[in-house]
């Protein structure tokens, strides 16, 4: 995926064992990984609607300035037009990548401070207003990741391939 990419590694022995056995049984994991990708899209959408991270923690609220300047979706965190929420996945025979091609995804996932490249201030615009600040600190609001429920669902998906 172009833009920002975030790799999520599942360090779960049961999942790894099932994937290895399945690969030995059918030769590649493309179809099973696509099933897992679909499951992860649904769980991420559910968490996004609840505005919580994969570990169930609520995202930090928006600043008063952000709420004031947002032209719409003032009550929704990480949503202006909804582009960041539209996650995608890509599958190969051995790999599943889930994420977004939006370049601004990483700053929201991990947090960070944005400072001007030139000059001494940043211009923040919204609702016909311009505000000038020295920097903007965006808190981490993790939206990508694998929850314990996701791990259980992944194992359930993989087990289905062994029931012939």
């Amino acid at each position: 995926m172009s833009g920002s990419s975030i790799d999520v590694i599942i360090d779960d022995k049961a999942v790894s064992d099932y994937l290895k056995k399945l690969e030995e049984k059918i030769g590649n994991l493309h179809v099973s990984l696509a099933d897992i990708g679909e499951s992860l899209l649904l769980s991420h959408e559910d968490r996004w609607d609840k505005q919580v991270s994969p570990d169930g923690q609520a995202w930090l609220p928006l600043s008063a300035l952000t709420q004031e300047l947002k032209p719409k979706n003032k009550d929704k965190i990480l949503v202006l037009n909804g582009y960041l929420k539209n996650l995608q996945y890509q599958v190969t025979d051995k790999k599943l990548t889930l994420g977004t091609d939006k370049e601004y995804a990483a700053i929201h996932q991990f947090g960070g401070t944005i400072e001007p490249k030139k000059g001494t201030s940043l211009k923040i615009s919204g609702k016909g207003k311009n505000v000038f600040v020295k920097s903007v600190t965006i808190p981490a609001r993790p939206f990508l990741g694998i929850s314990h429920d996701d791990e259980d669902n992944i194992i359930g998906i993989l087990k289905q391939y062994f029931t012939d």
Side-chain angles (χ1 to χ4, degrees):
M1 291 179 200
S2 62
S4 297
S5 71
I6 299 168
D7 291 329
V8 178
I9 298 170
I10 302 172
D11 187 20
D12 184 284
K13 184 167 176 20
V15 171
S16 296
D17 288 348
Y18 276 110
L19 286 169
K20 187 175 180 179
K21 288 177 188 173
L22 184 58
E23 186 176 20
E24 289 170 1
K25 179 180 178 184
I26 63 175
N28 73 60
L29 303 173
H30 194 278
V31 173
S32 57
L33 291 176
D35 287 346
I36 292 168
E38 290 295 323
S39 173
L40 291 175
L41 284 180
L42 292 173
S43 67
H44 278 79
E45 184 174 335
D46 183 52
R47 287 195 297 265
W48 202 286
D49 291 343
K50 294 175 183 174
Q51 302 203 326
V52 298
S53 66
D55 66 3
Q57 296 295 311
W59 291 335
L60 292 174
L62 298 172
S63 71
L65 177 60
T66 299
Q67 286 180 325
E68 179 184 337
L69 294 177
K70 275 183 87 171
K72 58 185 175 182
N73 292 314
K74 290 177 177 282
D75 61 331
K76 295 183 179 152
I77 302 167
L78 297 184
V79 177
L80 180 60
N81 295 308
Y83 302 139
L84 189 59
K85 181 181 176 181
N86 293 326
L87 301 179
Q88 305 150 9
Y89 67 89
Q90 295 174 343
V91 175
T92 66
D93 290 348
K94 294 187 179 209
K95 183 177 179 181
L96 165 66
T97 302
L98 174 77
T100 176
D101 60 357
K102 303 302 176 207
E103 292 183 8
Y104 51 87
I107 192 77
H108 292 296
Q109 176 80 12
F110 301 111
T113 300
I114 301 171
E115 297 177 335
K117 292 179 183 176
K118 295 180 181 178
T120 59
S121 62
L122 295 168
K123 179 172 88 172
I124 303 173
S125 301
K127 292 182 79 173
K129 296 180 186 178
N130 293 323
V131 177
F132 294 89
V133 296
K134 292 185 180 194
S135 65
V136 174
T137 299
I138 298 175
R141 295 184 176 104
F143 57 92
L144 286 174
I146 306 294
S147 70
H148 292 295
D149 287 344
D150 290 332
E151 289 178 8
D152 292 342
N153 288 337
I154 290 168
I155 290 170
I157 289 168
L158 295 174
K159 281 182 177 180
Q160 291 176 0
Y161 286 91
F162 291 100
T163 57
D164 289 64

